[in-house]
Amino acid sequence: MSRILFVVPPLVGHINPTVGVAARLTAEGHEVGWVGPTKALAPLVGKDAAFYPSRRPLSEVAVVGRPAQLRGFASLKFLWEEFLIPLADGMAPLVDAAVEEFRPDAMLVDQQALAGALVAERRGIPFATSATTSAELVRPLAELPKVAAWLDELLNGLRERHGSPEATHDLRFSPHGVLAFSTEELVGPTKGHIVYVGPSITQRPDDTPFPELDGRPVVLVSLGTANAEAGEKFLRTAVEALAELPDYQGVVVDPTGEVTDVRRVPQLALLPKCAVVVCHAGHNTVCETLSHGVPLVVAPIHDDQPIVAQQVVDAGAGVRVRFGRVTTEQLTTAITEALGYTEGARRIQRSFASAGGAEAAANWLSELAATRTSGAKR
């Protein structure tokens, strides 16, 4: 059996897809260790999870808040310079200490937990990249050479501080392989060693009360908790749009309580009752929705969301609207149109089901780890 170290950022959407993979590895007798979850996020990975370095308390750091009005390059610049680069600098000593103590045979490293890739390459440990969003797989900066050069400079600086000077690969793409929690049917053509395993969706503890349903098909509207402040105008438009669709029951989730009194819903349990989901094109929400064969209306805001939204449209699984400018009439029309994309959503659902999910990811990781243990035996 092998020891596999999971290195993740303190972000719910990046931890959740890996939890099922870790559980599967553990069930097969492998040892799994974690670096990255904060004290607040530790319950996500289970009460028996092993965190490293074990002699240090888990961090209570809060993720840096980003001004809601940032868009485009300003948003990307903030993400890298104010969060991802400082996170890598801060995590590098922790990952080093974890590796020293846990002695992993392989590592699973999130694309946004760059410290894991840096330490793995310096110590010669095989590692897989965990791509919990499909946006980077299509190399979105390929046609923006100046922006790509700026990012390369940031990554090269990290490698000089924490990595191997001999390494030349992009830190976001392990030369051993990238585990992508999606399928090519949704993402489209890509290059490189991409291992598509489909979404890894596990039932998570959720005591959120179920909304009162009246038997009509549900249209769920959710922008995620991270976009609560920016979403008031859009949610008000959604309420007005749904009023024009009396054959459907709208459930509009508003974490602030300013627009509706539905602050949270048990999303995984609610999705089978949905006819359409209107969302911000967050990767996890998109994959959870399509896993149930439900079409989407996507209204991307920032980060990877515009890319994921376009993938939904190109795959014939939904309709895209403009988050900041959509009118009531346009959103009503988009919801109605999305109902015609059910077959496209079900096609993606079938591709997800055949990809293998957490089991496929665990099997591939165990094989990666075995390459090192067999080499050590020789």
Side-chain angles (χ1 to χ4, degrees):
M1 294 296 103
S2 302
R3 294 184 299 275
I4 301 175
L5 185 65
F6 282 44
V7 185
V8 295
L11 299 169
V12 173
H14 290 249
I15 295 174
N16 272 340
T18 64
V19 172
V21 182
R24 186 77 187 184
L25 287 167
T26 301
E28 293 174 355
H30 302 284
E31 290 184 58
V32 173
W34 293 85
V35 182
T38 60
K39 183 177 181 181
L41 297 179
L44 290 176
V45 301
K47 59 182 178 63
D48 298 322
F51 298 99
Y52 294 90
S54 61
R55 296 176 184 82
R56 303 190 195 185
L58 292 178
S59 169
E60 297 186 31
V61 65
V63 175
V64 60
R66 173 169 37 187
Q69 70 274 14
L70 290 183
R71 297 287 189 276
F73 178 69
S75 179
L76 181 69
K77 188 173 188 292
F78 186 97
L79 173 68
W80 279 96
E81 294 184 349
E82 303 299 328
F83 178 55
L84 295 181
I85 297 299
L87 179 68
D89 284 327
M91 283 185 66
L94 295 177
V95 178
D96 250 325
V99 167
E100 195 68 30
E101 179 181 355
F102 186 59
R103 298 288 177 178
D105 299 303
M107 294 165 63
L108 179 64
V109 178
D110 187 276
Q111 278 188 318
Q112 294 193 357
L114 297 164
L118 291 159
V119 173
E121 72 177 26
R122 175 161 42 82
R123 288 177 170 263
I125 301 171
F127 74 100
T129 297
S130 171
T132 57
T133 173
S134 56
E136 291 289 352
L137 302 180
V138 297
R139 312 290 175 124
L141 300 183
E143 297 180 3
L144 300 170
K146 290 185 178 180
V147 177
W150 162 80
L151 183 54
D152 285 343
E153 186 176 352
L154 292 179
L155 295 174
N156 290 337
L158 280 178
R159 178 165 275 145
E160 289 174 2
R161 295 193 292 276
H162 308 293
S164 168
E166 287 79 28
T168 58
H169 64 272
D170 189 318
L171 288 169
R172 297 165 296 170
F173 300 90
S174 169
H176 302 279
V178 177
L179 278 181
F181 292 95
S182 186
T183 59
E184 192 170 9
E185 284 80 359
L186 176 58
V187 178
T190 55
K191 296 180 180 180
H193 189 185
I194 311 295
V195 181
Y196 286 105
V197 297
S200 171
I201 301 172
T202 55
Q203 291 298 324
R204 44 189 181 261
D206 193 344
D207 56 3
T208 306
F210 216 79
E212 187 174 341
L213 303 181
D214 59 18
R216 291 176 294 168
V218 172
V219 175
L220 173 64
V221 181
S222 176
L223 299 177
T225 55
N227 303 299
E229 292 183 8
E232 181 177 343
K233 179 178 180 292
F234 185 89
L235 294 181
R236 291 191 186 281
T237 301
V239 170
E240 295 169 359
L242 290 164
E244 302 296 321
L245 298 169
D247 293 337
Y248 296 88
Q249 180 179 358
V251 176
V252 180
V253 183
D254 177 20
T256 69
E258 294 292 329
V259 179
T260 74
D261 57 4
V262 181
R263 292 176 179 264
R264 290 184 61 202
V265 294
Q267 184 163 294
L268 287 180
L270 183 58
L271 283 172
K273 300 183 181 297
C274 292
V276 172
V277 169
V278 182
C279 73
H280 58 304
H283 192 263
N284 285 348
T285 298
V286 164
C287 287
E288 289 173 2
T289 300
L290 293 177
S291 290
H292 288 85
V294 177
L296 291 141
V297 175
V298 283
I301 305 173
H302 48 53
D303 294 342
D304 62 332
Q305 296 159 16
I307 299 169
V308 174
Q310 193 58 45
Q311 291 172 355
V312 169
V313 173
D314 291 343
V319 179
R320 180 173 180 171
V321 298
R322 300 181 71 175
F323 173 76
R325 298 186 181 183
V326 67
T327 66
T328 299
E329 182 180 0
Q330 289 169 341
L331 190 53
T332 302
T333 300
I335 293 171
T336 303
E337 288 182 357
L339 293 165
Y341 287 86
T342 300
E343 181 48 43
R346 289 176 179 168
R347 180 176 59 83
I348 302 301
Q349 179 188 32
R350 292 191 292 271
S351 78
F352 284 177
S354 63
E359 181 178 359
N363 290 342
W364 192 86
L365 279 171
S366 64
E367 291 175 5
L368 177 65
T371 62
R372 192 179 202 222
T373 55
S374 62
K377 290 176 183 176
R378 289 197 296 271

